[in-house]
Amino acid sequence: MTGNDWSTYARLLGYVRPYWPLFLLAIVCYGLGSGAEAYVFKLLGDLVDQIGLSGSEGTFNNELLSGLLRVPILMFVAALGRAMAEVGGEYLMSRISFRVVHKLRLELFDSLLRLPAAFFDASSQGHLVNRITFTVAQLRDTGTDALKSLFQDSVKVVVYFGTMLYLSWKLTLVFVAAAPLVAAVVAFASRRFRRLGRRIQNSMGDVTHVASETVSGQRVVRIFGGERYESERFTAASLANTRQHLKLIVTKVTSTQIIQVTVAAALSLLIALLVWADLGAGLSAGNVVTLLGVAGLLARPIRKLSEVNAKLQRGLAAAEDVFAQLDEPGEGDRGSVDTERVAGRIEFDAVNFRYATRDEAALKDVSLTIEPGETVALVGRSGSGKSTFANLIPRFYEPTSGSIRLDGVDVLDYRRESLRRQIALVNQQVVLFNDTLARNIAYGALAGADTAAIEAVVERANATEFVERLPDGLDTLVGDDGVLLSGGQRQRVAIARALLKDAPVLILDEATSALDNESERAIQAALEEVMRGRTTLVIAHRLSTIENADRIVVLEQGEIVEMGSHAQLIEQGGAYAALYAAQFDADKAPAPPAEGNGAVTKLAQPEASLETRIWYRNSTASRLLSPAAWLFGVASRRRRARFKHTGVSYRAPVPVVIVGNISAGGTGKSPFVIFLSRWLRSRGLKVGIVSRGHGGRSSAPLQVFADSDPVLAGDEAPMLARRTGVPVYVDKDRAAAVRALLEAHAIDIVLADDGLQHYALERDVEIALIDAARGFGNGRLMPAGPLREPISRLEEVDLVVATASDSTADSLAVPVDGVVVPCPTAVVRLGFGAERLSVEEFRARYQSVVALAGIGNPQRFEASLAKLGLDVQLRTYPDHHDYDGSELLEWRNGVFGSRPLLCTEKDAMKLARLLRGGEALFYLEIDLAVPAPLERRLTELFSDKGVLSSEASTSASPSEPMTPSANESP
């Protein structure tokens, strides 16, 4: 070992030193065990001599018999003593080694609590966890196991060699001749063991890192379709670790076997010399047996001593890694000022800051004074320095130059604990622990708060409603990182925690950016409560949340470029006004395009599906499939008759409205369900929606939310939940979905999306939609055509509605009760820089786009794009297409220049999970323009069916003809 290795090993042995009495006792136990083992062979030699003596005399006398009987008794006693000594030695050494590992783990964990934020910026979570769990365990091999082998097996070698030297020094020299070869093998293996030990630690860190990232981000992995990517990452990391382990094993086994063969060769030479060279002259038969037996025993301790080298080198590599973290300097705390509570005046004086890993400064000459009780908002684009500004106040980082003062005292002069006692934090990524809700609120220094105080802050944080619904209230376990709570609920827990701390300075870092509008409104009142009477620093992307701030500070590339109230900055028309306009001028109704040719160019794309080529063309294949279509019709009629005549269908206790179609493919059912939900809610009804959840994998009734995983819920149901704001349940069995919906919610009426053929559910109203452009295709039943039921089925439904690009549908062969027109109402941006744009704003910003459509009727999407007046490169896919990311390659590779990506709202549910950092995806929000006559017809129908009371049917005035329903509040 090198000098550095010795210093590392000496430091490691310092952790063993407190246990030296136990260590010495263990060595004594091992020595006794080795002596007992050698004594057994001495007894065997004596036995051989005794038997030989009796053979020469030709008889056994009493004295000889007594000697022979004593041998097995002594052998048993020696074996028993060896076993007891080995057990004692092993227990004592294991006790020492596990205590050493325990102490090192504690020191590593404590170091994580004191290390500065910059250390965590430069380290991966997986490698930090791996160091505490795996790497430190390797030190057990070095700290005690290696010492155990060194002493235990060295004692054995000394005892065995001593015995051999006592019996015959000449024969013993044969073994000494093998020493140079053994030393050469050990030297070579040492260097290789060290290299492989380091590689194993790094590769194991990679395995832990990938696994921990996947576990902590499992929702992101699933929603963004990262299963294949994460599987490939983990496979590569695990394979690399496996290869290094195999190399280590091969090196270990090969070196050990070379040493074993060398010892065996020496033993073979020893036997040959005994026979031919007469070196054993003068030795009795018993002594020869003892000599050969002890020589055979030497192979095992020599082999184990050679394996010590592998343990030692691997452990030294681990020790270097562990000590490197322990030697990292902790957060500096040279301050001496301690105060119970500050007033809250914050001053930034010419502050500059640069991260150690970056060349460009994050903050440049920033000067700002925030008065006690004042609310100051920081806004700006991502990377402008907002979070850095906030992180400097509690001394997560220290400024490169300049000073930050709290109540006139430099923050560096405060004791760190005293400074952070003055600050409460509510950020976007709320950190919750796998503990009860009460302990998550009364966390850390707040532990011990009485139940009344916790309940009071829960009420002030507007969290009482959801807390009371939890199975054990405040004593409910919230799961890892609060996984059992929604985003809005987690935010309210963080707000309650800040209220309980009652600190004079409050930092709100993107506290509502991850929430939908409804959750944001619910939490805004709680935020106003926690901000009252405190110096508050608000970091926000959603500018609606900071309009009432006392001052708004605009940052660009680390510099303050504007400052003032909301009204003042809007009047200035500068950077803030531009940011505000980009987010909040998106509420205008769609209008005919003023410019742009509305050209839609179809890109080379996957060939149309087989069904499409057959169903919408009078093809030979369609005629050949006619017998199958006849069988399909027979089965369909029998199935319907079975439900109709047996009465096994489920009758819900509330009215059920079915919105469906008789043909496969898109006809506008989901937009009509959205319209109908809003229309019924405007008349005072509590609405619930059930759907099949096409493409989802849920095997039981599942409530769907706006952010639900489309892999489980399908792509339509989350869209319905987001657009309607009503409870949505999915299940292949619509009746089961209705039962689950009614058990959990007080509902007046149920809307079933695409359930016309699901006769297991009784219905009060049936509404069928028809696509006016495509009609009924070739008019045949599936699989020869697109029809699920004969066209005559439309005569039985209560309402037939056509979806058309204008207000007429003259081409249909059946009468309709009304025509609805899809109208683009807004363009919504997902991913980087989320925002909502009016059609005019989007068209003014982007003249050309790349569009994707994986829906049942892409022609309607084409028509909507034409209304926008954009130049469009369009690629279409089959309905409910499962995107895997390959569809985005051309766009990502710049084939289409800087054109943004635009898709349907249903496709956006799946494509959003494939976005990378900095990418943005736009989707076209569509609502139906419903004429007043059709609304009146709906009112009459629902009144006749008893769905609407006379008061409800007149509680809302009908819309103007062709007015999109998007303007109604959900």
Side-chain angles (χ1 to χ4, degrees), residues 550-886:
D550 297 316
R551 271 189 298 164
I552 298 171
V553 177
V554 183
L555 290 170
E556 283 189 5
Q557 297 182 345
E559 298 180 282
I560 297 177
V561 295
E562 285 184 348
M563 189 188 310
S565 67
H566 170 75
Q568 291 170 340
L569 295 177
I570 290 293
E571 185 177 352
Q572 289 178 16
Y576 177 79
L579 288 172
Y580 190 88
Q583 288 192 24
F584 298 105
D585 276 345
D587 297 324
K588 299 178 182 178
E595 55 185 52
N597 57 23
V600 179
T601 304
K602 285 191 177 180
L603 299 171
Q605 54 197 302
E607 189 177 0
S609 65
L610 179 63
E611 302 95 303
T612 301
R613 299 200 304 273
I614 294 174
W615 293 348
Y616 294 97
R617 301 172 190 172
N618 192 18
S619 62
T620 302
S622 175
R623 292 190 291 273
L624 291 175
L625 288 172
S626 294
W630 178 81
L631 291 174
F632 179 87
V634 171
S636 177
R637 288 191 295 272
R638 287 185 177 179
R639 180 174 177 274
R640 185 183 178 197
R642 176 169 61 87
F643 282 107
K644 185 175 182 181
H645 297 300
T646 59
V648 296
S649 301
Y650 170 66
R651 163 61 70 178
V654 298
V656 175
V657 178
I658 299 288
V659 178
N661 53 21
I662 63 168
S663 61
T667 57
K669 300 181 301 298
S670 295
F672 194 81
V673 169
I674 294 171
F675 154 75
L676 205 55
S677 170
R678 294 170 174 171
W679 184 79
L680 290 168
R681 290 184 70 188
S682 71
R683 283 151 177 79
L685 295 178
K686 297 178 181 178
V687 181
I689 297 175
V690 297
S691 175
R692 182 181 185 277
H694 189 89
R697 300 175 184 172
S698 175
S699 58
L702 173 70
Q703 182 171 7
V704 181
F705 302 93
D707 58 352
S708 290
D709 187 349
V711 174
L712 288 176
D715 47 18
E716 291 175 335
M719 178 185 72
L720 291 173
R722 184 177 65 247
R723 295 289 301 279
T724 64
V726 305
V728 177
Y729 279 73
V730 297
D731 195 80
K732 293 179 181 179
D733 181 358
R734 280 21 165 247
V738 172
R739 291 190 189 97
L741 169 67
L742 296 179
E743 286 176 4
H745 302 275
I747 298 298
D748 298 322
I749 185 170
V750 175
L751 300 181
D753 179 34
D754 194 18
L756 197 60
Q757 289 77 37
H758 193 75
Y759 294 109
L761 178 64
E762 290 284 348
R763 64 285 312 269
D764 297 271
V765 178
E766 289 185 330
I767 301 175
L769 273 81
I770 305 170
D771 174 38
R774 298 199 303 178
F776 306 112
N778 59 19
R780 295 187 175 95
L781 290 172
M782 299 174 70
L787 296 182
R788 299 171 174 175
E789 295 183 287
I791 297 176
S792 59
R793 173 75 170 87
L794 293 177
E795 299 174 4
E796 304 174 17
V797 304
D798 299 292
L799 201 69
V800 179
V801 178
T803 307
S805 58
D806 53 37
S807 58
T808 62
D810 298 331
S811 60
L812 288 172
V814 296
V816 298
D817 295 287
V819 178
V820 293
V821 179
C823 292
T825 55
V827 181
V828 182
R829 182 173 187 168
L830 297 177
F832 183 75
E835 58 185 332
R836 178 186 175 91
L837 302 174
S838 68
V839 172
E840 292 86 350
E841 285 176 324
F842 184 81
R843 187 172 56 246
R845 187 182 299 183
Y846 305 105
Q847 299 300 315
S848 299
V849 298
V850 178
L852 302 180
I855 56 177
N857 189 355
Q859 290 82 9
R860 188 181 306 116
F861 186 52
E862 290 179 21
S864 299
L865 295 177
K867 285 188 177 183
L868 288 178
L870 298 170
D871 294 325
V872 180
Q873 299 283 331
L874 176 66
R875 184 186 289 276
T876 61
Y877 296 92
D879 195 15
H880 302 289
H881 177 63
D882 187 12
Y883 292 94
D884 60 11
S886 61

Side-chain angles (χ1 to χ4, degrees), residues 78 96 110 115 175 255 267 270 276 314 349 379 398 454 463 526 624 672 685 712 792 796 812 823 826 855 857 868 921:
I96 296 170
D110 289 342
L115 286 168
F175 275 82
S255 61
L267 183 60
L270 174 64
W276 285 296
R314 190 166 64 246
D349 186 5
V379 301
E398 295 184 4
I454 297 174
L624 291 175
F672 194 81
L685 295 178
L712 288 176
S792 59
E796 304 174 17
L812 288 172
C823 292
I855 56 177
N857 189 355
L868 288 178
L921 167 71

Side-chain angles (χ1 to χ4, degrees), residues 65 111 129 131 140 186 232 315 433 569 623 759 782 835 863 926 949:
L65 259 170
S111 74
V129 174
R131 190 173 289 138
R140 182 169 178 261
V186 170
E232 290 172 352
F433 302 90
L569 295 177
R623 292 190 291 273
Y759 294 109
M782 299 174 70
E835 58 185 332
I926 298 289
S949 64

Side-chain angles (χ1 to χ4, degrees), residues 117-441:
F119 173 82
F120 294 94
D121 293 341
S123 307
S124 72
Q125 176 183 334
H127 285 82
L128 293 177
V129 174
N130 178 72
R131 190 173 289 138
I132 294 177
T133 56
F134 174 78
T135 304
V136 75
Q138 306 303 302
L139 299 182
R140 182 169 178 261
D141 291 344
T142 305
T144 53
D145 282 12
L147 282 178
K148 178 190 76 173
S149 294
L150 281 172
F151 282 92
Q152 180 186 27
D153 295 306
S154 295
V155 167
K156 288 182 178 181
V157 169
V158 170
V159 171
Y160 299 156
F161 260 111
T163 303
M164 291 176 66
L165 284 170
Y166 173 76
L167 294 173
S168 175
W169 65 270
K170 294 179 181 179
L171 291 172
T172 304
L173 290 179
V174 174
F175 275 82
V176 176
L181 180 58
V182 172
V185 172
V186 170
F188 168 77
S190 295
R191 294 189 296 271
R192 186 162 176 81
F193 285 145
R194 176 66 67 87
R195 291 197 305 270
L196 293 174
R198 290 195 183 101
R199 293 176 187 173
I200 287 172
Q201 286 168 206
N202 292 333
S203 60
M204 195 64 200
D206 292 338
V207 170
T208 309
H209 175 64
V210 175
S212 62
E213 277 191 337
T214 303
V215 170
S216 62
Q218 51 92 12
R219 293 187 178 183
V220 175
V221 171
R222 295 176 182 180
I223 199 69
F224 288 95
E227 293 91 345
R228 181 184 303 174
Y229 172 69
E230 295 300 334
S231 177
E232 290 172 352
R233 285 179 68 204
F234 188 81
T235 300
S238 182
L239 187 59
N241 181 256
T242 301
R243 287 171 178 160
Q244 300 308 318
H245 270 290
L246 286 174
K247 290 178 180 179
L248 182 71
I249 293 298
V250 169
T251 304
K252 175 182 174 182
V253 171
T254 302
S255 61
T256 300
Q257 292 307 313
I258 290 175
I259 293 172
Q260 288 271 66
V261 170
T262 303
V263 173
L267 183 60
S268 301
L269 181 60
L270 174 64
I271 295 172
L273 292 174
L274 275 169
V275 175
W276 285 296
D278 200 24
L279 288 180
L283 291 176
S284 67
N287 287 338
V288 169
V289 169
T290 302
L291 182 68
L292 292 177
V294 173
L297 287 177
L298 267 174
R300 186 166 179 265
I302 291 176
R303 174 178 60 81
K304 293 184 71 176
L305 283 173
S306 69
E307 292 175 353
V308 166
N309 186 48
K311 294 179 179 180
L312 196 61
Q313 297 302 325
R314 190 166 64 246
L316 286 173
E320 290 175 355
D321 188 41
V322 169
F323 292 147
Q325 177 176 321
L326 294 179
D327 291 339
E328 284 283 341
E331 284 187 297
D333 191 15
R334 58 182 181 272
S336 58
V337 178
D338 197 347
T339 182
E340 189 63 30
R341 188 177 184 87
V342 298
R345 190 172 194 265
I346 301 172
E347 300 171 82
F348 275 62
D349 186 5
V351 171
N352 292 273
F353 178 77
R354 182 177 64 83
Y355 290 98
T357 55
R358 302 179 192 172
D359 294 330
E360 187 177 356
L363 290 180
K364 305 170 186 175
D365 199 31
V366 172
S367 295
L368 177 67
T369 299
I370 305 174
E371 297 297 336
E374 186 180 15
T375 297
V376 173
L378 299 179
V379 301
R381 295 179 175 84
S382 295
S384 60
K386 304 184 299 297
S387 294
T388 301
F389 186 102
N391 287 333
L392 291 176
I393 298 174
R395 268 174 48 195
F396 293 149
Y397 302 94
E398 295 184 4
T400 307
S401 63
S403 64
I404 303 170
R405 295 184 292 276
L406 178 62
D407 280 10
V409 178
D410 195 308
V411 294
L412 299 178
D413 293 333
Y414 282 99
R415 287 183 55 248
R416 187 174 62 245
E417 182 181 352
S418 177
L419 172 67
R420 292 176 181 173
R421 193 166 57 236
Q422 316 301 323
I423 302 169
L425 173 66
V426 179
N427 56 11
Q428 176 182 350
Q429 300 297 332
V430 177
V431 175
L432 298 180
F433 302 90
N434 190 12
D435 206 335
T436 65
L437 187 60
R439 290 196 185 100
N440 270 285
I441 295 172

Side-chain angles (χ1 to χ4, degrees), residues 497-578:
R497 184 189 292 165
L499 284 166
L500 187 62
K501 186 172 186 180
D502 191 28
V505 177
L506 173 66
I507 298 174
L508 302 177
D509 190 354
E510 306 283 6
T512 62
S513 65
L515 305 176
D516 54 64
N517 291 332
E518 185 173 350
S519 297
E520 181 182 329
R521 287 192 296 271
I523 286 175
Q524 197 61 43
L527 288 176
E528 291 173 1
E529 172 68 18
V530 75
M531 291 163 63
R532 186 174 297 118
R534 307 175 203 279
T535 303
T536 305
L537 188 68
V538 182
I539 301 172
H541 273 123
R542 291 190 179 185
L543 303 186
S544 61
T545 62
I546 49 93
E547 291 181 8
N548 296 324
D550 297 316
R551 271 189 298 164
I552 298 171
V553 177
V554 183
L555 290 170
E556 283 189 5
Q557 297 182 345
E559 298 180 282
I560 297 177
V561 295
E562 285 184 348
M563 189 188 310
S565 67
H566 170 75
Q568 291 170 340
L569 295 177
I570 290 293
E571 185 177 352
Q572 289 178 16
Y576 177 79

